[in-house]
Amino acid sequence: MSFFGMGARPPATGYDENKINGIKGEMLMIQQMKDKASLVCLEKCIPNYYSEGDLNKGESNCVDRCIGKFFQTIKVIGTEMQKQQQQGGM
């Protein structure tokens, strides 16, 4: 035992750098997917000319369905890739 921390090891932080980097990578991937979905769905559902300040009901529903389908597709693809990886197919 040392007094005033002299000669003692610094306290462990309890953080695993690999896990932190993995989480950062996942966060970046999610942000990129959101950005891509926004671009695709807004281009599909919103006309290039604006006649109103807000989205009308049809545009709003279109964007909502498009975003939902986009993320559902990503989920299905991720699940299938995981299955293939577990089977040693990739």
Side-chain angles (χ1 to χ4, degrees), residues 13 17 21 52 64:
T13 60
E17 286 296 319
N21 289 335
E52 301 174 20
D64 188 46

Side-chain angles (χ1 to χ4, degrees), residues 1-21:
M1 183 171 144
S2 66
F3 292 100
F4 307 113
M6 296 182 155
R9 287 192 275 172
T13 60
Y15 299 118
D16 181 3
E17 286 296 319
N18 289 331
K19 285 183 182 180
I20 291 172
N21 289 335

Side-chain angles (χ1 to χ4, degrees), residues 32-83:
Q32 289 171 342
M33 283 191 313
K34 183 195 75 71
D35 291 345
K36 181 67 175 175
S38 295
L39 285 174
V40 168
C41 294
L42 290 177
E43 187 175 299
K44 176 184 177 214
C45 298
I46 311 298
N48 290 333
Y49 59 90
Y50 299 104
S51 58
E52 301 174 20
D54 295 328
L55 296 177
N56 64 38
K57 189 168 181 76
E59 293 166 341
S60 180
N61 287 338
C62 179
V63 171
D64 188 46
R65 285 191 310 269
C66 181
I67 296 287
K69 288 177 183 178
F70 191 91
F71 281 102
Q72 182 64 31
T73 302
I74 295 296
K75 183 179 174 183
V76 169
I77 291 170
T79 302
E80 288 301 315
M81 288 179 67
Q82 243 180 0
K83 284 180 187 176

